[in-house]
Amino acid sequence: GRVVVRAVRARGFRCVVVDRDQRVLDGLAGIGAATLYGDAASRSILARSGLERARLLVVAIGDPMSAQLAVERAREINPKLTVVAMARGRTEVRAMRSLGVARLADPEVEAALELARATLARMGISGPEQTAITTGLRRRAYGDPTDGGSTMKPPGEPPARG
């Protein structure tokens, strides 16, 4: 969450962070985030977070059940909310897609993509070509987010066509 907060605050946007670790909240408050102590899957905490006015929810919760509950309950408060989330592996990606999560990040996939990009850079591939290649690999890994719930594809399987 810290990287997301830094990015959002660098552009002057307001953000609210919910966490059960006061030390984490103190650190994020130090870089300009509004903070709320509690469980992000709790209806009462979500109700106090200002979600009814929010445009975006970032879910960076390690526990898959809590992350899914946070998404479900946040959508009860604001059905038009755009949600981006972390998910590990095909099962979690599929579950989050079924909840309408707009964009997903699997830490292992993202690390592999960064390693691929660094490898291409070292081989002299231009920045735009690195971006094109890694974008294609990302699409292949996650599938088409507009196809109603695709999941990450096994290696060698082409992306869904529609």
Side-chain angles (χ1 to χ4, degrees):
R2 180 176 303 277
V3 172
V4 174
V5 170
R6 284 189 190 281
V8 167
R9 295 298 301 144
R11 293 294 302 182
F13 292 104
R14 182 181 188 294
C15 64
V16 178
V17 177
V18 178
D19 203 299
R20 289 183 283 193
D21 186 332
Q22 189 60 52
R23 288 177 299 173
V24 167
L25 293 174
D26 292 344
L28 294 173
I31 57 175
T35 62
L36 183 58
Y37 179 84
D39 181 355
S42 162
R43 282 188 173 95
S44 63
I45 294 295
L46 290 172
R48 292 177 35 214
S49 71
L51 278 177
E52 68 280 355
R53 297 179 312 278
R55 291 183 285 169
L56 177 71
L57 172 66
V58 177
V59 179
I61 301 171
D63 174 59
M65 290 306 297
S66 293
Q68 290 168 36
L69 278 173
V71 172
E72 288 172 2
R73 292 172 176 172
R75 286 207 185 273
E76 290 170 5
I77 295 168
N78 184 345
K80 295 181 180 181
L81 194 62
T82 296
V83 180
V84 297
M86 178 178 69
R88 287 185 172 89
R90 289 185 188 103
T91 301
E92 288 181 35
V93 167
R94 185 179 303 117
M96 291 302 237
R97 282 258 197 256
S98 75
L99 296 172
V101 172
R103 182 79 183 249
L104 292 159
D106 180 318
E108 290 209 14
V109 169
E110 296 304 321
L113 290 168
E114 179 55 23
L115 291 172
R117 189 209 56 77
T119 300
L120 293 169
R122 183 69 177 116
M123 295 174 146
I125 305 301
S126 71
E129 191 173 355
Q130 292 170 38
T131 299
I133 291 168
T134 56
T135 297
L137 292 170
R138 183 175 280 110
R139 283 187 183 136
R140 211 171 153 175
Y142 292 110
D144 181 354
T146 64
D147 74 357
S150 69
T151 61
M152 294 186 335
K153 308 298 183 207
E157 182 180 324
R161 300 277 182 222

